[in-house]
Amino acid sequence: MGNLLDTPSMLLVQALRLGVVVLLYALLLRLLWTLRGELHSTPGTTSQAAAGAPEADAALEGFEPAEPDEAVGPVLVVVDVTANERGEPLPSLIGRRFHLGASNVIGRDPTSSIVIPEAHVSRRHARIDYRDGEWWLDDLDSMNGTYLDERQVREPTSVLLDDVIRLGGVALAVREERV
């Protein structure tokens, strides 16, 4: 009686099994690499606006604030928080306002322009920039995705007043208000 691995169909089955195992290991390594990036912050990481980069100043070109007593400014307002990592609501964030500069990184990292201390928000989750006379939202390869009015942001997307941005369990509305 010959070896069962000598038949072509058994060789194909063994090759497919090996392929599946290799694919699973590749996915596991990708997951571990992503988690490692989420857990370890990069020292010295700051947004362009925080660093005072000339690109950030140039991006504000065309954005003219009104007189100080009538000044309005774009803000993100936390309008909803579903829960933290333990499933508990975080009501202390609701109503919190974040004034927007020319370039804003949103995330858990303390060096972010807008810090959201919520477990489902990545260290550097998203960026909202003012350029070409518009606000633009971009996901920064976050783990849980960035959503604009319930649609996932996969490329830089224009943002309008009253749009709602969702990062993890936090919803932020784009408003313009007196400062």
Side-chain angles (χ1 to χ4, degrees), residues 5 12 14 17 37 39-40 48 53 58 75 83 87 96 102 107 112 124-125 130 154 156 160 178:
L5 290 179
L12 179 62
Q14 291 301 322
R17 284 181 180 169
L39 295 174
H40 299 284
Q48 289 178 345
V75 295
R96 186 154 181 208
S112 296
R124 293 176 43 86
H125 197 105
Y130 187 80
R154 298 182 190 280
L160 303 173
R178 296 188 183 279

Side-chain angles (χ1 to χ4, degrees), residues 8 10 28 36 40 47 51 60 90 94 109 113 122 131 148-149:
M10 290 306 291
L28 181 62
R36 180 190 165 277
H40 299 284
S47 70
L60 271 180
L90 296 171
I94 294 178
D109 193 309
S113 310
S122 298
R131 63 179 183 269
L148 180 65
D149 294 330

Side-chain angles (χ1 to χ4, degrees), residues 103-126:
S103 180
N104 310 271
V105 173
I106 307 169
R108 271 192 347 258
D109 193 309
T111 63
S112 296
S113 310
I114 298 172
V115 178
I116 307 287
E118 200 267 335
H120 296 102
V121 173
S122 298
R123 278 185 323 102
R124 293 176 43 86
H125 197 105

Side-chain angles (χ1 to χ4, degrees), residues 29-89:
L29 286 174
R30 170 70 179 168
L31 175 66
L32 291 175
W33 184 259
T34 301
L35 288 174
R36 180 190 165 277
E38 286 292 314
L39 295 174
H40 299 284
S41 65
T42 306
T45 304
T46 59
S47 70
Q48 289 178 345
E55 296 87 8
D57 295 334
L60 271 180
E61 202 171 300
F63 180 71
E64 295 290 329
E67 293 298 315
D69 59 341
E70 301 173 7
V72 293
V75 295
L76 291 180
V77 180
V78 178
V79 293
D80 184 34
V81 180
T82 55
N84 66 10
E85 67 275 4
R86 292 181 298 275
E88 302 164 341

